[in-house]
């Protein structure tokens, strides 16, 4: 039997099994129906799955997992498909499991300040439901109108407010998870500190490799009495970066502290007319929130401080509409940059804040070396960079050059004491970069963790953690500082 | 004092693994009484000490596990910063490693986050004597599974902590503690109602007589919130919270077993006989008495929480809340993934781990 025939036989077997569990319209297997699922937000990687399943209950998810376990068919979970690292990229011999139909807010408890939601609920929908109670869900990825809470858990997503309010992992109380074998487990607790090992910490950010999140209980916070945003313009990126450190050194933790460079400022301005100073080399957006008095006190302090740090202009949003406009420019920076060039590639390194000027200089040098423009947008408060490389996939070789450029940026982040991904995840995209960040014993430990949850390796295999073999091959191509990272492994 | 004992520690673990010798990991010994009875040969971490990296403007401190907690707290204070989760030391000898391994947090826990919330990275020796590093010194890092946060509260049974990186924060400009007499039920209701308002609350407890709340933040914010909250300003507020955190408050005196019930904050007073003290906006409740553990655990569980025999009582039986079989099986596989020979603090958490 040829491999294509074998695949067809398996597909038929899978689809038959799925039709016992789901109504016919919740099982997709024809090429045109599969097409919308061929990629996530990283569209450079595309692949069709064997089939797509769209369960609408936890029991159906369990039955699907039991079926796939019995048939030894790998499963790739998918939320809203906004991920930027190819985490939800289908496997051609696997099932794509969409959690999009599980989209109910099951319970919102204003007294306990918690919301119990299904995984397909959109991030922003939680805050909207909480609004009448004066509460909100703090982690706010820029994709929050679309991305699902299940995807947020799987990526440990952050947002512009995470310096002060934490990442997804800091705002979860409990998860209901279906294992690779179809078992339902409860991680965390409605009470503080669940007994035993903190599996919720492990599950958060595990990119669908350890379990399927079928329910999340999240913490809600009271909406601050007031939020005010300052916009500071600088004629030098390094000076803007230094100002970030100064604000924190002054003992102030802003609710958000974002930076954009010239190209990003101009793109955003052209796109949403946020009123940004287009001649500036960099702008800082600094949001301060809290009680009315507290915000007034901090606005004065930060204003003085920014001017002392060499800001050429500091503006305070006059009203809520202007505050929203300032943020609209930042939150639409990716699509705005997308208008400048046929394609863009978003990077996600994190570095210690004080290394910002030198890493930005390095990115500029690399931009010249590769002949590709870069726009920089970043969560400056926590050192999370999003360089956006502009390219044209239709020009032969340009995607490959872009990826090489991107890999060099990530290596620069690791060399500066940082990491290859702050919030977008490893997925398929950064699988080789993982070999530069971790040595063989750590990777082996990751695989052992994976095996404890998923002994047959059926959950999103091939993503997030590279095999030692892959790294040995990759290492042979990229010898770092002339040292071999995997000296013990056979090379071929 | 700064000293690097990484190699000898790893070597010792390798030997123990080869001979299947259980190791009892000891930091400063200040929490020796916590968890099930330690067994095995003593592995001392106190000598492996020293702050490795501290840049106040990065909001990160990295230190070896044997570094005294008091040293860390003092160095942070010199720079106007603190550990936001305000861990209890339970003795002058407490180390950083022991504090993270126990995963305990102080009065600010519901408002500022827990010990595990502030872990950014860890270097460990696993049960095979391999030195591994996870996470890092940056605020956001999603490369690989979050093994460093997993170490918080694992009581050393997954790995010997060598060093830990923690997120730190500026100390608030102003703090004020207010107290008001009321019933337990009213105190719980008030703590939860206020927590849903945008007020700078940083601790809330009920000591049996009084609702005690702490405000922290900018001076103007603290003072205007104090007016809304009402109650008497406590002159020795800071001392109250320190004594509570360190269990030096009168409530904790004596030999009677001490139970910790963790429940959802708004849970009404739990109907079990004994003396109660309520912390964490209702989320952490202490109970003293010679009660049937089965009843205590059932009461905690039916409220959606769990109970720990925190101090005293039978330390050879179950101390932590029992896990459902599927969960225990998974935790056991995880233990084996880190410590296949089962030599790291075996049985300290659960007999099976
Ligand atoms: C314009 C734009 C802006 C963005 N801004 C941000 C930002 O500010 N901060 C940020 O952190 N991210 C950002 N992202 C990235 C992305 O939105 C997040 O990673 C988001 O959490 C993904 O959610 P999703 O529902 O789309 O997940 P998907 O893309 O569908 O899946 C992401 C990963 O999670 C797994 N997964 C999904 N659901 C489940 C589940 N229920 N159980 C187990 N595994 C699951 C998938 O297998 C995959 O590995 C942005 C993306 C875009 C396109």
């Amino acid at each position: 039997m040829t491999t294509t025939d074998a695949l067809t036989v398996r597909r038929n077997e899978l689809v038959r099994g799925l039709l016992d569990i789901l109504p016919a319209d919740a099982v997709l297997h024809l090429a045109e129906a599969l097409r919308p699922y061929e990629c996530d937000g990283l569209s450079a990687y595309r692949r069709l799955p064997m089939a797509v399943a769209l369960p609408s209950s936890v029991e159906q998810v369990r039955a699907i997992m039991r079926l796939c376990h019995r048939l030894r068919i790998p499963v790739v979970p998918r939320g809203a498909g906004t991920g930027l690292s190819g985490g939800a990229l289908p496997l051609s011999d696997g099932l794509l499991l969409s959690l999009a139909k599980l989209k109910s807010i099951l319970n919102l408890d204003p007294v306990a300040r918690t919301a119990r939601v299904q995984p397909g609920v959109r991030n922003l929908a939680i805050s909207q439901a909480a609004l009448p109670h004066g509460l909100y869900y703090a982690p706010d990825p820029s994709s929050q109108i679309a991305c699902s809470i299940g995807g947020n858990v799987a990526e440990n997503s952050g947002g512009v407010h995470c310096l002060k309010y934490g990442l997804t992992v800091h705002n979860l109380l409990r998860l209901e998870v279906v294992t690779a074998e179809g078992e339902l487990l409860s991680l965390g607790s409605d009470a503080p500190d669940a007994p035993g090992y903190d599996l919720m910490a492990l599950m958060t950010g595990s990119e669908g490799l350890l379990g399927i999140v079928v329910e999340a209980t999240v913490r809600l916070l009271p909406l601050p009495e007031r939020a005010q945003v300052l916009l500071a313009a600088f004629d030098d990126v390094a000076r803007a970066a230094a100002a970030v450190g100064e604000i924190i050194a002054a003992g102030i933790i802003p609710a958000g502290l974002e930076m954009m460079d010239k190209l990003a400022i101009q793109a955003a301005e052209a796109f949403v007319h946020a009123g940004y100073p287009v001649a500036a080399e960099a702008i800082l957006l600094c949001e301060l929130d809290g009680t009315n008095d507290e915000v007034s006190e901090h606005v004065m302090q930060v204003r003085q401080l920014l001017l002392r740090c060499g800001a050429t202009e500091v503006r305070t949003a006059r009203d809520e509409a202007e505050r929203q406009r300032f943020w609209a420019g930042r939150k639409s920076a990716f699509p705005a940059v997308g208008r400048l060039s046929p394609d863009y590639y978003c990077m996600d390194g994190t570095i210690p804040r004080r290394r910002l000027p030198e890493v930005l200089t390095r990115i500029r040098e690399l931009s010249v070396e590769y002949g590709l423009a870069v726009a920089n947008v970043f969560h400056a408060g926590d050192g999370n960079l999003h360089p956006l490389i502009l390219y044209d996939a239709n020009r032969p070789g340009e995607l490959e050059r872009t990826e090489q450029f991107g890999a060099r940026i990530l290596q620069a982040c690791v060399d500066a004491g940082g990491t290859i991904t702050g919030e977008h995840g490893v997925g398929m995209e950064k699988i080789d970069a993982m070999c530069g960040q971790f040595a063989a014993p750590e990777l082996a430990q990751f695989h052992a963790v994976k095996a404890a949850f998923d002994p047959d390796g059926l959950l999103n295999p091939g993503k997030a953690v590279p095999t030692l073999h892959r790294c040995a091959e990759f290492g042979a191509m990229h010898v770092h500082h002339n040292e071999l990272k995997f000296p013990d492994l056979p090379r071929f | 004092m700064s000293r690097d004992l990484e190699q000898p520690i790893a070597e010792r673990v390798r030997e123990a693994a080869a001979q299947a010798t259980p190791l009892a990991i000891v930091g400063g010994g200040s929490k020796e009484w916590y968890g099930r009875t330690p067994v095995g040969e003593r592995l001392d971490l106190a000598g492996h000490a020293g702050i490795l990296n501290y840049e106040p403007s990065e909001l990160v401190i990295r230190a070896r596990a044997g570094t005294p907690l008091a040293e860390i707290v003092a160095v942070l204070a010199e720079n106007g910063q603190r550990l936001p989760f305000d861990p209890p030391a339970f003795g002058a000898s407490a180390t950083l490693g022991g504090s993270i391994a126990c995963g305990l947090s102080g009065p600010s826990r519901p408002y500022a986050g827990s010990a595990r919330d502030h872990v950014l990275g860890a270097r460990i020796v696993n049960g095979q004597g391999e030195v591994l590093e996870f996470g890092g010194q940056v605020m956001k890092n999603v490369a690989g599974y979050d093994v460093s946060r997993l170490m918080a509260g694992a009581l050393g049974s997954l790995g010997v902590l060598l060093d830990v990186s923690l997120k730190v924060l500026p100390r608030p400009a102003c703090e004020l503690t207010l107290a008001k007499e009321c019933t337990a039920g009213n105190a719980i209701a008030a703590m939860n109602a206020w927590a849903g308002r945008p007020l700078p609350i940083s601790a809330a407890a009920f000591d049996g007589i009084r609702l005690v709340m702490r405000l922290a933040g900018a001076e103007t914010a603290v003072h205007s919130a104090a007016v809304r909250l009402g109650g008497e300003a406590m002159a020795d507020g800071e001392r109250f919270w320190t004594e509570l955190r360190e269990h030096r408050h009168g409530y904790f005196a004596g030999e009677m077993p001490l139970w910790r019930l963790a429940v959802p904050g708004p849970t009404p007073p739990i109907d079990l006989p004994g003396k109660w003290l309520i912390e964490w906006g209702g989320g952490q409740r202490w109970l003293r008495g010679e009660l049937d553990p089965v009843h205590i655990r059932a009461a905690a569980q039916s409220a959606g929480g769990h109970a720990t025999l925190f101090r005293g009582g039978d330390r050879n039986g179950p101390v932590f809340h029992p896990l459902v079989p599927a969960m225990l099986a998974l935790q056991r596989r995880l233990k084996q993934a880190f410590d296949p020979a089962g030599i790291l603090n075996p049985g300290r958490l659960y007999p099976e781990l």
Side-chain angles (χ1 to χ4, degrees):
Chain A
M1 210 162 37
T2 68
T3 30
T4 355
D5 291 342
L7 212 60
T8 311
V9 171
R10 276 175 80 67
R11 180 201 303 263
N12 291 344
E13 204 175 5
L14 173 65
V15 170
R16 258 199 317 279
L18 289 172
L19 287 171
D20 289 338
I21 302 166
L22 299 169
D25 64 354
V27 182
L28 312 178
H29 54 92
L30 301 173
E32 61 270 34
L34 299 178
R35 192 68 62 197
Y37 297 91
E38 69 179 350
C39 68
D40 59 11
L42 183 69
S43 55
Y45 294 53
R46 292 167 196 269
R47 204 188 274 146
L48 288 182
M50 268 205 303
V52 174
L54 295 145
S56 48
S57 75
V58 173
E59 272 319 306
Q60 288 175 350
V61 174
R62 298 186 61 185
I64 293 167
M65 294 311 292
R66 281 194 295 264
L67 172 73
C68 290
H69 187 250
R70 183 163 58 75
L71 300 177
R72 293 288 184 272
I73 287 176
V75 177
V76 177
R78 176 184 169 108
T82 68
L84 291 173
S85 54
L89 178 74
L91 295 170
S92 40
D93 61 346
L95 173 71
L96 189 89
L97 178 65
S98 166
L99 284 309
K101 280 193 176 177
L102 289 160
K103 54 170 195 248
S104 304
I105 295 181
L106 300 170
N107 182 40
L108 198 148
D109 184 340
V111 179
R113 302 165 316 279
T114 60
R116 195 159 65 80
V117 303
Q118 290 192 312
V121 169
R122 290 173 307 114
N123 172 295
L124 188 60
I126 305 176
S127 288
Q128 284 166 341
L131 183 65
H133 306 286
L135 302 170
Y136 75 115
Y137 175 62
D140 57 343
S142 301
S143 52
Q144 69 183 149
I145 49 169
C147 64
S148 73
I149 191 73
N152 291 176
V153 172
E155 301 286 13
N156 190 16
S157 298
V160 299
H161 288 102
C162 57
L163 178 64
K164 183 163 177 183
Y165 296 106
L167 305 158
T168 303
V169 70
H170 301 110
N171 289 279
L172 294 174
L173 291 174
R174 192 158 63 86
L175 295 175
E176 298 290 308
V177 171
V178 172
T179 66
E181 276 122 17
E183 198 133 24
L184 185 64
L185 287 176
S186 191
L187 316 183
S189 165
D190 292 338
D193 312 329
Y197 299 135
D198 194 341
L199 300 191
M200 199 166 61
L202 206 50
M203 188 61 62
T204 311
S206 66
E207 304 192 19
L209 273 79
L210 301 184
I212 311 286
V213 177
V214 292
E215 188 184 300
T217 303
V218 303
R219 199 162 71 103
L220 304 174
L221 296 180
L223 280 163
E225 194 170 276
R226 180 171 160 216
Q228 179 61 277
V229 63
L230 293 125
L231 186 159
F234 289 84
D235 55 15
D236 175 40
V237 179
R239 222 169 278 151
V244 170
E246 288 297 317
I247 294 173
I248 287 160
I252 296 172
I253 301 296
L257 190 51
E258 298 286 309
M259 187 161 151
M260 292 164 76
D261 74 357
K262 191 165 198 162
L263 193 51
I265 297 167
Q266 291 175 345
E269 187 54 27
F271 188 38
V272 297
H273 311 294
Y276 288 172
V278 287
E281 283 300 320
I283 59 169
L284 276 183
L285 286 172
C286 177
E287 179 152 298
L288 299 160
D289 71 1
T291 63
N292 212 345
D293 315 299
E294 188 173 23
V295 172
S296 303
E297 194 178 317
H298 284 164
V299 164
M300 298 256 288
Q301 251 179 297
V302 171
R303 203 187 153 74
Q304 293 307 321
L305 205 149
L306 287 166
L307 289 169
R308 259 206 321 280
C309 290
T312 52
E313 183 192 356
V314 181
R315 280 192 237 156
T316 310
R318 272 165 310 206
D319 49 28
E320 182 58 20
E322 190 170 42
R323 181 176 90 89
Q324 292 295 348
R325 250 194 330 276
F326 283 176
W327 277 122
R330 166 61 188 88
K331 289 209 173 185
S332 62
F334 292 5
V337 169
R339 298 189 338 148
L340 300 182
S341 130
D343 301 284
Y344 72 88
Y345 185 36
C346 173
M347 312 303 300
D348 176 41
T350 302
I351 54 169
R353 229 181 288 99
R354 66 180 182 285
R355 311 289 296 267
L356 220 50
E358 71 188 86
V359 172
L360 288 177
T361 306
R362 181 79 193 121
I363 293 174
R364 259 202 308 275
E365 289 165 5
L366 288 167
S367 168
V368 173
E369 183 182 330
Y370 284 90
L372 294 166
V374 180
N376 278 295
V377 181
F378 39 92
H379 307 300
D382 30 41
N384 186 191
L385 311 179
H386 290 321
L388 303 170
I389 306 175
L390 308 188
Y391 73 103
D392 181 353
N394 286 328
R395 281 202 210 123
E398 200 153 300
L399 172 62
E400 291 68 29
R401 240 176 45 243
T402 303
E403 287 184 327
Q404 282 165 22
F405 180 5
R408 301 271 301 271
I409 294 178
L410 296 187
Q411 193 56 52
C413 291
V414 174
D415 293 344
T419 172
I420 57 170
T421 173
E423 59 182 15
H424 295 166
V426 173
M428 200 60 238
E429 177 210 13
K430 295 186 264 299
I431 194 95
D432 290 329
M434 280 291 280
C435 309
Q437 179 152 353
F438 291 101
E442 279 92 9
L443 293 174
Q445 187 66 71
F446 286 148
H447 288 297
V449 168
K450 163 85 170 158
F453 283 81
D454 174 19
D456 305 298
L458 293 174
L459 277 168
N460 217 0
K463 312 279 180 66
V465 184
T467 61
L468 300 183
H469 266 135
R470 189 178 176 117
C471 284
E473 285 179 4
F474 180 73
M477 294 184 292
H478 299 251
V479 178
H480 181 55
H481 296 325
N482 265 337
E483 309 163 7
L484 280 178
K485 269 238 142 137
F486 299 90
D488 311 334
L489 285 175
R491 260 150 238 277
F492 14 77
Chain B
M1 202 187 52
S2 183
R3 195 160 40 155
D4 182 359
L5 298 180
E6 175 172 311
Q7 283 318 317
I9 292 168
E11 184 54 37
R12 176 85 190 278
V13 175
R14 276 193 292 276
E15 277 167 21
Q19 283 144 33
T21 311
L23 294 173
I25 309 161
V26 183
S30 61
K31 290 172 269 293
E32 191 280 335
W33 46 265
Y34 184 62
R36 301 179 73 254
T37 307
V39 293
E41 286 177 13
R42 198 178 152 104
L43 172 62
D44 258 301
L45 263 288
H48 184 66
I51 293 172
L52 297 169
N53 189 11
Y54 174 44
E55 288 276 345
S57 76
E58 295 291 333
L59 302 177
V60 177
I61 190 163
R62 177 178 180 206
R64 294 200 182 99
T67 313
L69 186 62
E71 180 181 334
I72 297 201
V73 170
V75 167
L76 291 175
E78 276 166 31
N79 290 277
Q81 297 188 332
R82 69 193 165 115
L83 294 174
F85 57 100
D86 197 16
F90 294 129
S93 64
T95 61
L96 172 67
S99 303
I100 296 304
C102 290
L104 302 174
S105 313
S108 57
R109 154 79 166 97
Y111 314 95
S114 63
R116 78 86 132 128
D117 285 340
H118 292 86
V119 173
L120 296 174
R123 198 172 164 83
I124 66 166
V125 182
N126 69 7
Q128 287 158 292
E130 295 171 317
V131 175
L132 307 173
E133 191 160 335
F134 299 101
Q137 282 87 57
V138 289
M139 291 293 147
K140 291 163 89 174
N141 186 353
V142 292
Y145 303 123
D146 195 347
V147 172
S148 43
R149 284 201 180 91
L150 177 67
M151 294 298 139
L155 278 177
S157 65
L158 296 177
V160 181
L161 288 170
L162 288 172
D163 65 59
V164 182
S165 300
L166 295 173
K167 177 176 176 178
V168 301
L169 283 177
R171 292 171 81 86
C174 173
E175 282 187 318
L176 180 67
T177 298
L178 300 164
K180 186 166 29 181
E181 281 192 18
C182 68
T183 63
N186 287 342
I188 292 166
M191 292 187 232
N192 283 282
W194 288 121
R197 301 272 157 274
L199 295 167
I201 296 167
S202 72
F206 176 70
D207 66 1
I209 304 165
R210 296 170 305 175
L211 165 63
V212 187
M213 296 182 79
R214 185 176 62 195
L215 295 163
E219 193 155 345
T220 45
V222 167
H223 290 298
S224 61
V227 174
R228 286 184 66 185
L229 250 58
E232 291 277 320
M234 254 168 94
D236 52 354
E238 200 178 322
R239 202 171 104 208
F240 173 83
W241 296 111
T242 307
E243 292 190 344
L244 196 60
R245 185 191 67 208
E246 298 299 333
H247 289 190
R248 292 198 301 258
H249 183 281
Y251 170 89
F252 296 98
E255 294 306 308
M256 191 106 76
L258 174 68
W259 284 86
R260 171 186 185 258
L261 284 78
V263 292
T267 307
I270 296 168
D271 187 20
L272 284 174
K275 262 183 79 190
W276 289 89
L277 190 146
I278 300 174
E279 275 196 275
W280 295 6
Q284 173 165 271
R285 303 189 186 187
W286 302 102
L287 174 62
R288 314 259 352 226
E290 298 280 0
L291 297 151
D292 183 349
V294 176
H295 289 154
I296 296 177
R297 297 206 196 273
Q301 198 163 324
S302 70
H306 47 94
T308 305
L309 177 55
F310 197 80
R311 208 196 263 259
D314 175 12
R315 294 184 65 202
N316 297 316
V319 163
F320 296 98
H321 203 86
L323 303 172
V324 299
M327 177 53 82
L328 183 61
L330 174 57
Q331 300 220 354
R332 188 154 167 68
R333 289 198 300 275
L334 196 62
K335 163 82 174 172
Q336 281 162 349
F338 282 89
D339 176 21
I343 53 161
L344 301 178
N345 275 355
R348 184 92 185 251
L349 200 50
Y350 290 92
E352 299 85 354
L353 302 179

